Structures are given as C-alpha cells and as structure tokens.
Amino acid sequence: MSRRIIILGILYQAFFAFASRRVEQSFYIPSTLQNRTSYTVFESLASGLDGPKVQPINATTFDWWYFDVVSTNPPDLSTAVCIPTPDSVTDITVAVLWISFPNGTLWSTASHADGATVKVNGDYTDGTWDNSGFSWTSKESGYLIEIDAPDAGVTGTISFRTVAPPHYPCGPAEAGQNLELGPHIGWANAISDADSTVDLRIDGDTPFAFRGTGYHDKNWSDVVFGTHITSWYWGRGRLGPYSLVWWDVLGRTGVETFSAYAAKDQKILAASCAPESIKARPIGQNSTYPPVLSTGNPSGYHVELDLGVDGKLELDLTVLAPTIALNPEYARFVGNMSGSITGERNTERLIGMALFEQFKLTE
Ligand SMILES: *[C@@H]1O[C@H](CO)[C@@H](O)[C@H](O)[C@H]1NC(C)=O
Ligand SMILES: *[C@@H]1O[C@H](CO)[C@@H](O)[C@H](O)[C@H]1NC(C)=O
Ligand SMILES: *[C@@H]1O[C@H](CO)[C@@H](O)[C@H](O)[C@H]1NC(C)=O
Ligand SMILES: *[C@@H]1O[C@H](CO)[C@@H](O)[C@H](O)[C@H]1NC(C)=O
Ligand SMILES: *[C@@H]1O[C@H](CO)[C@@H](O)[C@H](O)[C@H]1NC(C)=O
Ligand SMILES: *[C@@H]1O[C@H](CO)[C@@H](O)[C@H](O)[C@H]1NC(C)=O
C-alpha cells in the first residue's frame, strides 16, 4: 500500500498517524442528493485509488464501490456481488447484494443506510454504510466485507486476499494516470484479483458459503449514467496463472475505448488502454455487434487480450448462467473461460471461471 500523502483535488485533510505510518482522510456521504455542483476527479494522484472521486453527490453524478466473488469450480454457479451504492434517485447510500446459489438460483437484497463514511488509507479504503449492517475494512493484503443485516435477510462475511496489483484504465496505480475508461466514466480497480471466501447466512437459516476469486473496483461519473454510452462489455477472471480484467466500451459518438489488464505472480504484465490491447465481441446466438436493446443475450464472447511479453491471449467465454434477473439494458453472467496463447507451441488450453457483463442502452 502506498504511504504517500493523499490529496484528493481541493478536498484534503491529511492525518498522519506516526505509529502506523498510515495517512488517513475521512469522507462523509449524506444519504440524500446534494443540490450543489459536484467536484469530480479524472486524473490520479500518488495515492487514494479507492477513495471517493465525486464530492458531493448531486442528481447528475454517482460514485460506486463494487465487489464480487465467483466460484472457482465450474459446476458450481455460486457468485456474490455487493455494491454499497446509490440505487435510487433520492436515497443514495444503499448497499445491494446479489447472490447466485450453486444451482444458479438468484437471490438479492438491499439495505438502506443513513449516510456513509469512507476512510482512505493510502490506495485503499474502509467504508461504513451507517445502520445498514454493511461495512468493509482494508489492509494492504486485502479487504473484508462484514454484513449484519438480518432485516435485509443476510449476515456474514466476504473476504478478499489480494493476488494481483491494483490499476487504473490505462496503467498501474501511480500519479498522473487518466481515470476515464469511456466517455465520462471514471474507473479504479483496487482488487484486480483475490483469493476470496464467502461465508453468509441467507434468510436466517440458509448457509451460503464458497471459495472463489474476488474482485473490487469503483466507478463514477460527472453525468447521468448512460448518456454517453451505447454499449459495453466488462469481464474478469483467473485463467491458469493469469489474473485478467477487460473493458470494451462503445460511446455514443461511435468511438470504442478499451482497457486491458493481465497479471501473473503478483506482477502486472499488461495494463493498457491502447486500441489493440483488447477486443471483446459476442459469439454464438445473438452475436450482433454493436448490440442494441432488442438484441437477445449472446451465448458467449470472444476476447483477444495482449499479455505483453507473454504473447496474445485468445479467450472464449461461455455463458453458464445469469447472475442478475435479465433485463434489456443490463446482463451479468457467470461463465466458463478457456484460452490459449497465440504463437506459442504446445501450450495446453488454459481454463477458468469468469464474471462478465454487458450494457446496451440504445436501439
Ligand atoms: C437547487 O438550488 C437551486 C438554486 O439555489 C434552486 O433554484 C432549486 O430549487 C434547488 N432544487 C432543489 C431540488 O432543491
Ligand atoms: C452537479 O454537478 C455537476 C458538475 O459535476 C453540474 O454540472 C451540475 O449542474 C450539478 N447539478 C446540480 C443539481 O447542482
Ligand atoms: C437451488 O438452491 C436454493 C438454495 O439452496 C434452493 O432454495 C432452491 O430451491 C434450489 N432450486 C432448485 C431449482 O433446486
Ligand atoms: C461499475 O463497474 C462494475 C464492474 O466493474 C459494473 O458491474 C457496474 O455496472 C458499473 N456501473 C456503472 C454505473 O458504471
Ligand atoms: C437469444 O435471444 C433470444 C431472444 O431474446 C432469446 O430467447 C435467447 O435465449 C437468446 N440466446 C441466448 C443464448 O441467451
Ligand atoms: C465448463 O467447464 C467445465 C470444466 O472445464 C466443463 O466440465 C463444462 O462442460 C463446461 N461447460 C460448458 C457449458 O462449456
């Protein structure tokens, strides 16, 4: 974790704790929209990767924290996605949890907070969604989500032990990086890959526990979501020794933007937003590109991702099940991932599990 001083735009208030050598800064997020101009950050500082990027939150801005875990065993469809996030127009500090059971059955819940506090420690954060029962804490080695929300039907923990370095859309976690993933969408990936354990109790008595790979990012914007986006594909997963994260975003102007990430043995192999760094396209049924609202969901995706010195990865994703109720705009899936490295002789086909999503917002 970086121990350099956090300065988030004009909003800084550094507290230097000598004993732990941690620099702390605390932000309060009221549960209601603020009728003021929001200040939004689109360039990185030396630290504060997972910290708030929009202050305050008004009717046309958002700032989300997103966590997920996907099982590492293909027959097991278990996933957990937690977003302590604005979910409605008026009540913006809501924690939402979606899970899919091993058999693919979906369950979700939401818990409303009275406001939230996010503390920034170097590149990482601690977050408390007041009186919602949802909070997280972080250390250099990972994150822990604690949930005590019996009224929302869930208690337990989700842990993340980081196995790959954090990053931004176009490069590593360092000062001066462009944070815009696509038009007006900021993105910072605090946990690109982790060994995770989900240990929850659903509706009082149903245990929901599994091990898998975990992930955490945040995204934000200075405009209403979707106003500048036509469609996008996001995905992530672990394939053999590789931790992978990709974005392929199509803006309303017809410009496609990209972000590719690959890490191995705790080191970044590729972190780039160059046009040839990654390309994702739907395959099988409903593989029209670009997808529109009336296009059905595809059977899978083909992704080409440049691994840098390790070569080029050709990846096929097969949808196994949706992890959220299907709707025309948004779909998130758990699926099989298989890949091989172009040009390399005698390489075995690598396999793994992935979580991936698509937005399509126009007809
Ligand atoms: C927001 O502030 C403006 C200017 O102060 C005021 O005209 C408007 O009515 C306010 N809107 C709300 C929803 O409070
Ligand atoms: C919210 O902030 C943005 C700038 O980030 C500004 O353009 C917009 O007018 C603000 N909205 C309100 C209601 O103040
Ligand atoms: C799937 O698993 C859940 C949780 O154990 C259970 O409630 C549900 O009935 C199962 N569904 C089917 C179709 O077996
Ligand atoms: C933010 O990113 C996560 C995945 O990284 C995604 O699931 C979510 O849809 C994104 N939301 C917005 C509004 O950008
Ligand atoms: C393709 O789209 C049709 C129509 O929306 C849908 O019924 C079908 O299930 C889709 N195929 C897949 C693989 O999801
Ligand atoms: C997913 O991968 C597992 C393990 O490789 C395999 O057993 C299963 O048949 C695959 N499913 C699909 C739909 O490809």
Side-chain angles (χ1 to χ4, degrees):
M1 185 186 292
S2 167
R3 292 185 170 131
R4 284 167 287 187
I5 293 171
I6 299 154
I7 302 171
L8 186 62
I10 51 168
L11 302 155
Y12 74 92
Q13 186 191 28
F15 170 73
F16 194 74
F18 185 73
S20 65
R21 297 185 57 116
R22 271 153 70 108
V23 177
E24 296 207 8
Q25 187 184 17
S26 185
F27 294 87
Y28 181 70
I29 306 169
S31 64
T32 52
L33 292 169
Q34 305 298 295
N35 186 15
R36 288 186 278 141
T37 298
S38 297
Y39 178 79
T40 309
V41 179
F42 283 120
E43 187 181 315
S44 65
L45 298 159
S47 73
L49 181 140
D50 199 35
K53 299 293 188 296
V54 182
Q55 290 276 316
I57 306 295
N58 74 18
T60 55
T61 59
F62 65 86
D63 200 9
W64 293 23
W65 282 264
Y66 167 99
F67 298 84
D68 73 45
V69 182
V70 59
S71 171
T72 10
N73 299 318
D76 175 4
L77 298 174
S78 298
T79 63
V81 174
C82 187
I83 310 192
T85 201
D87 189 43
S88 76
V89 180
T90 48
D91 188 356
I92 61 167
T93 50
V94 184
V96 186
L97 175 74
W98 289 269
I99 67 169
S100 55
F101 283 103
N103 62 13
T105 294
L106 303 178
W107 184 90
S108 67
T109 191
S111 184
H112 294 251
D114 300 335
T117 301
V118 177
K119 281 188 193 164
V120 183
N121 306 315
D123 273 331
Y124 303 98
T125 56
D126 293 348
T128 305
W129 262 235
D130 297 334
N131 297 318
S132 74
F134 283 71
S135 65
W136 77 82
T137 49
S138 67
K139 293 189 293 197
E140 188 166 351
S141 55
Y143 277 57
L144 177 68
I145 298 177
E146 289 173 280
I147 306 175
D148 183 13
D151 292 347
V154 57
T155 58
T157 57
I158 305 176
S159 68
F160 301 79
R161 195 172 58 78
T162 303
V163 302
H167 74 118
Y168 289 121
C170 303
E174 58 187 36
Q177 288 280 326
N178 170 23
L179 304 185
E180 232 179 321
L181 175 81
H184 296 269
I185 298 280
W187 183 68
N189 193 184
I191 303 182
S192 314
D193 193 10
D195 288 329
S196 282
T197 303
V198 175
D199 189 2
L200 300 175
R201 214 153 253 281
I202 304 298
D203 289 334
D205 55 2
T206 307
F208 177 67
F210 69 98
R211 281 172 200 277
T213 66
Y215 171 95
H216 164 48
D217 72 10
K218 73 185 309 315
N219 42 28
W220 65 92
S221 183
D222 59 350
V223 296
V224 173
F225 178 69
T227 45
H228 292 66
I229 307 286
T230 294
S231 63
W232 85 29
Y233 301 125
W234 163 86
R236 68 107 194 150
R238 197 183 300 169
L239 184 77
Y242 300 110
S243 300
L244 307 173
V245 184
W246 64 89
W247 284 98
D248 189 329
V249 179
L250 185 61
R252 293 267 166 125
T253 55
V255 174
E256 200 173 350
T257 51
F258 309 87
S259 175
Y261 173 89
K264 189 171 80 173
D265 302 332
Q266 292 278 7
K267 287 195 188 65
I268 294 179
L269 290 173
S272 171
C273 56
E276 65 279 16
S277 60
I278 172 258
K279 187 174 176 183
R281 288 294 181 265
I283 53 172
Q285 287 175 36
N286 310 318
S287 57
T288 313
Y289 185 84
V292 293
L293 284 165
S294 58
T295 315
N297 290 316
S299 316
Y301 298 89
H302 182 76
V303 177
E304 291 170 17
L305 200 152
D306 191 345
L307 295 176
V309 291
D310 276 29
K312 191 164 194 171
L313 189 61
E314 299 270 347
L315 211 55
D316 281 307
L317 298 149
T318 309
V319 171
L320 293 179
T323 65
I324 191 165
L326 293 176
N327 67 75
E329 288 85 14
Y330 179 65
R332 185 168 58 232
F333 305 106
V334 53
N336 272 359
M337 175 163 67
S338 85
S340 58
I341 296 165
T342 314
E344 230 175 74
R345 263 184 271 172
N346 308 322
T347 50
E348 55 186 314
R349 214 162 164 78
L350 300 167
I351 58 167
M353 293 284 276
L355 203 65
F356 41 99
E357 70 175 12
Q358 69 171 34
F359 269 104
K360 41 192 168 70
L361 299 169
T362 60
E363 189 50 69

